[in-house]
Structures are given as structure tokens and as C-alpha cells.
Amino acid sequence: MAADGRKALRALLRAANALLQQRRYRAALAVLKGFRNGAVYGAKIRAPHALVMTFLFKSGSLREKLKSIAQATYTHSRNLAYFVFTYKGLMALQSRLQGKKIPFHSFFAACIGGWLVFGENNPINSQIIMYLLSRVLFGLSRLAVEKGYVPQPKQDPFPLVAALIWGMVLWLFEYHRQTLQPSLQSSMTYLYDDSNVWHDISDFLIYNKRTDSK
């Protein structure tokens, strides 16, 4: 029985590998692998982040914290998998309909995927969109210079950008903190507000806040 089972498994693997080599199924298979990669990558980058942020800034029982980590990881993994599946599927469809790939296909497919998958305003989607926004702004700035729309700076503009970004974010935190994303508020509260409060050496050097009622 065991030998028959191994033979059947080997035959199944050979059939699967043969299918993966079929050129006519390549576009559909690429969509499926994109779904797989989206799920894996979303879990890999969200789980450590959720673990750190939950145990640093969230209260509650261990069970509640683990549930929060699992939920955040699942949501990020699912959304990224759905988006990659939608994007690659629409790209393949457009290429098949028009017989070639053009730049607008990418923009259109990503817009549809963004609307369908990331259109809900929740903490996970908000973090992802803000992450992408900063990269898009940097990318568009570099593209504008490459295309000649903006003159090549004579000096590296990064120090000025860094100064302005830190100046604006701390101004917002000090005077309009409700406009900042909750996890950023938590991080800045820990850094700039909690460092103003202590009672003795325990919550000055060892802990951020005292856990007893002294």
C-alpha cells in the first residue's frame, strides 16, 4: 500500500510539473503564483511588525494580543494576495485582448485592484497606502529629473527633505496629532510624551511606565 501511494504521488508530481511547462497555461499559472507570493510576502512582512507593535503599545491579555497579531497578519496576507491576483489577471486579459502590453495596462489594472482590494479604510490598508505614497512621491521626483521636467539639483536635496519632513511631522504631533495615523501617534507618544514622566529609577531607566500602584 505504501509503495503504491508513493508511485501515485510521483505520478501526480510528474503530471503537475508537465502542466507547469505548458506555455499556453503560462499566463494563468503566473496569476496563481502571484496569488501565492502575495499571501506569503504579506504574512512575512506583517507578522513581525504586528508582533512588535502589539507587545509594545497594546494592552490586554496574551490571548487578545495573539489574536490581534493573527488578524493583522491574515488581513495583510489576504489583501496582498487578492491584489496581485487581480492585477496580474487584468494585465493578462488586456494583453490578450489588445495583442500587446502597453504602459496604460499596468496603471489601469492596479487602479482596479486598488479600488477593489484596498478601498476599505482600515488600519492595515491605511499603513500600506501611506507606505506606497512615500515611495511614489520619491519615484515621481526622480522621474521628473530623469525626463528633464525638473532641473538636476546642484546639491543633494535629501538633507532639506529630511529636515522638512521631521519638522512637519513633529509640528503635527504637537499641535494636530489627531491627524496622524494611530500607530505613528503611539510611537511618538512613547518617544516624546512618555519621556517626560517618571517617578524613580525603575520607570526612568528600566521601564517606560510603572506597573504597580505606588
Side-chain angles (χ1 to χ4, degrees):
M1 284 294 286
D4 290 340
R6 286 195 293 270
K7 287 181 180 179
L9 180 59
R10 283 196 293 268
L12 182 62
L13 289 175
R14 283 196 297 269
N17 286 330
L19 176 65
L20 292 174
Q21 302 307 315
Q22 295 291 322
R23 188 168 184 81
R24 57 180 167 172
Y25 301 131
R26 190 166 185 81
L29 292 171
V31 172
L32 291 177
K33 185 169 183 185
F35 180 90
R36 177 264 180 203
N37 284 7
V40 171
Y41 187 76
K44 285 172 68 175
I45 62 174
R46 175 55 60 174
H49 176 270
L51 179 70
V52 171
M53 297 302 290
T54 298
F55 279 94
L56 271 181
F57 299 119
K58 287 190 176 181
S59 58
S61 66
L62 178 61
R63 181 186 179 125
E64 290 171 338
K65 289 179 179 179
L66 293 177
K67 182 179 179 181
S68 175
I69 293 167
Q71 182 61 47
T73 302
Y74 168 76
T75 301
H76 195 146
S77 177
R78 179 200 63 196
N79 286 5
L80 200 53
Y82 285 175
F83 177 83
V84 177
F85 182 88
T86 302
Y87 173 76
K88 291 181 70 70
L90 289 175
M91 287 291 289
L93 178 62
Q94 291 176 104
S95 180
R96 184 175 181 84
L97 291 175
Q98 294 195 324
K100 61 180 180 179
K101 181 180 176 181
I102 60 175
F104 178 74
H105 289 171
S106 179
F107 178 78
F108 178 74
C111 282
I112 297 299
W115 179 277
L116 294 176
V117 179
F118 292 104
E120 181 184 349
N121 188 0
N122 60 49
I124 301 297
N125 288 349
S126 178
Q127 288 175 357
I128 293 171
I129 296 305
M130 286 189 292
Y131 174 89
L132 292 175
L133 176 61
S134 64
R135 270 65 179 174
V136 167
L137 292 176
F138 266 80
L140 289 176
S141 300
R142 293 186 178 116
L143 183 62
V145 173
E146 288 179 8
K147 296 293 186 180
Y149 303 136
V150 175
Q152 178 72 40
K154 295 180 179 179
Q155 296 180 333
D156 184 2
F158 190 81
L160 177 60
V161 173
L164 291 174
I165 293 297
W166 277 107
M168 288 187 290
V169 76
L170 264 299
W171 173 74
L172 286 172
F173 175 72
E174 295 288 359
Y175 299 104
H176 305 281
R177 71 177 60 186
Q178 76 282 358
T179 63
L180 296 176
Q181 199 268 345
S183 66
L184 180 57
Q185 289 186 44
S186 297
S187 299
M188 290 196 156
T189 297
Y190 182 87
L191 292 170
Y192 305 112
D193 285 355
D194 291 357
S195 56
N196 292 330
V197 180
W198 64 87
H199 302 86
D200 53 38
I201 193 66
S202 66
D203 60 353
F204 182 82
L205 189 60
I206 302 174
Y207 304 106
N208 177 46
K209 293 181 179 180
R210 291 200 308 190
T211 57
D212 57 30
S213 57
K214 292 190 295 183

